[in-house]
Amino acid sequence: MSIVVTGATGELGRLVIDQLLTTTPADGIAAVVRDKEKAAGLAARGVELRIADYDRPETLTGAFRAGDRALLISGSEVGSRVRQHTAVIDAAKAAGVAQLAYTGVLGGPDADFLLAAEHKVTEQLILDSGLPYTFLRNGWYTENYTANLAPVLAHGAVAANAGDGRVASATRADYAAAAAAVLTGEGHLGKAYELSGDVAWSLTEYAAEVAKASGKEIAHNDMPAAAHQEILVGAGVPADFAAILVDVDEAIRRGLLAGTSGDLARLIGRPTTPLAETVAAAVAAQ
């Protein structure tokens, strides 16, 4: 039996494996990856590589073994994820995995924004498969904001259409620690965890944190959805994805990413990483 992480060379996948290696021998961990060379660092640490591609179902046959505990990290290609996830679920069921954990979205079936649609379908596919499951309904990553600091610092503004809505974000490392906890612990089968940061914050508060860390004046520039869409497209974001981002802001405006269930902190056994800490580190790295 191995603990298997799909999408293991992605930003979240690498962090999950880092966390697993703190408690689990490397020879008990398998990484499902498309590119062997990209995963050379994992192999060097003793992690087993299983080469497979979400887009080539036939390659997934060897991705899982009977009794494995597996983490399906959702694909990054919006619009292709249901097809890709179906292939992984089918392969996991055929192999007889003992647990399939899935990184979905905060709110699960109640999340009604565009980005949630494929996650909801995937959860239902897992339920229909009869596989022992754990749903990790991840909230927003703080890095979704801090990775985009350059234009914020250049223009002195956080542009959004989320109004005074609040975001209970956490870091990728926090979510990775939760995934590792459910893959290595007991009592998580058949559970759905609503994962989010301990404190929900507004974009006005985020702008203030960036200002504090950078010493620059940073405003929260709230605007209509159409204007935000225009700015994103003008910055090179594909129109379809820009529409999804604008729709997420509308979800934030309606409070759908503000939930603070405490599930994440309970799973990782510590408070979630504060916004100010992540912002300060990101500004220092600019």
Side-chain angles (χ1 to χ4, degrees):
M1 184 276 286
S2 294
I3 295 175
V4 183
V5 179
T6 73
T9 56
E11 291 179 292
L12 180 62
R14 285 186 179 276
L15 290 171
V16 172
I17 289 182
D18 287 344
Q19 187 67 40
L20 287 171
L21 284 168
T22 66
T23 60
T24 305
D27 61 6
I29 303 170
V32 177
V33 299
R34 287 184 297 183
D35 187 337
K36 186 176 181 179
E37 291 185 6
K38 191 175 178 182
L42 297 176
R45 299 169 77 183
V47 174
E48 177 191 355
L49 300 185
R50 299 180 184 176
I51 310 303
D53 188 334
Y54 288 178
D55 286 319
R56 296 169 58 208
E58 70 280 4
T59 67
L60 289 162
T61 303
F64 307 104
R65 316 272 162 77
D68 282 349
R69 292 184 171 194
L71 174 65
L72 168 54
I73 294 180
S74 57
S76 59
E77 299 170 30
V78 177
S80 299
R81 294 194 284 194
V82 171
R83 172 178 49 78
Q84 293 172 336
H85 296 170
T86 298
V88 176
I89 294 163
D90 289 347
K93 182 176 182 179
V97 303
Q99 177 188 27
L100 183 64
Y102 173 66
T103 60
V105 69
L106 191 68
D110 296 326
D112 63 359
F113 46 100
L114 294 174
L115 195 61
E118 291 172 302
H119 291 300
K120 292 193 288 186
V121 173
T122 300
E123 283 197 6
Q124 190 58 53
L125 288 169
I126 293 170
L127 292 173
D128 291 345
S129 76
L131 283 165
Y133 69 88
T134 308
F135 291 150
L136 300 166
R137 293 173 176 162
N138 289 354
W140 219 226
Y141 300 156
T142 309
E143 291 91 342
N144 290 346
Y145 292 99
T146 57
N148 195 41
L149 269 180
V152 170
L153 294 171
H155 299 290
V158 176
N161 56 282
D164 294 325
R166 305 185 79 80
V167 182
S169 74
T171 63
R172 279 194 182 87
D174 290 339
Y175 292 111
V182 304
L183 290 167
T184 57
E186 302 300 330
H188 303 296
L189 296 183
K191 300 285 183 65
Y193 294 110
E194 301 290 343
L195 303 180
S196 59
D198 296 335
V199 178
W201 45 266
S202 70
L203 286 170
T204 298
E205 291 166 347
Y206 172 68
E209 289 293 350
V210 176
K212 179 181 177 182
S214 66
K216 298 183 177 183
E217 290 189 13
I218 307 292
H220 169 211
N221 185 9
D222 193 58
M223 61 188 67
H228 191 201
Q229 167 96 7
E230 187 175 335
I231 286 175
L232 290 170
V233 171
V237 178
D240 288 349
F241 192 63
I244 288 172
L245 295 177
V246 167
D247 184 66
V248 167
D249 270 10
E250 289 300 311
I252 292 170
R253 182 187 291 271
R254 292 183 286 121
L256 295 187
L257 290 172
T260 53
S261 71
D263 281 357
L264 181 52
R266 282 189 289 272
L267 280 176
I268 65 180
R270 59 169 173 79
T272 59
T273 307
L275 174 67
E277 182 179 320
T278 308
V279 169
V283 169
Q286 293 294 306

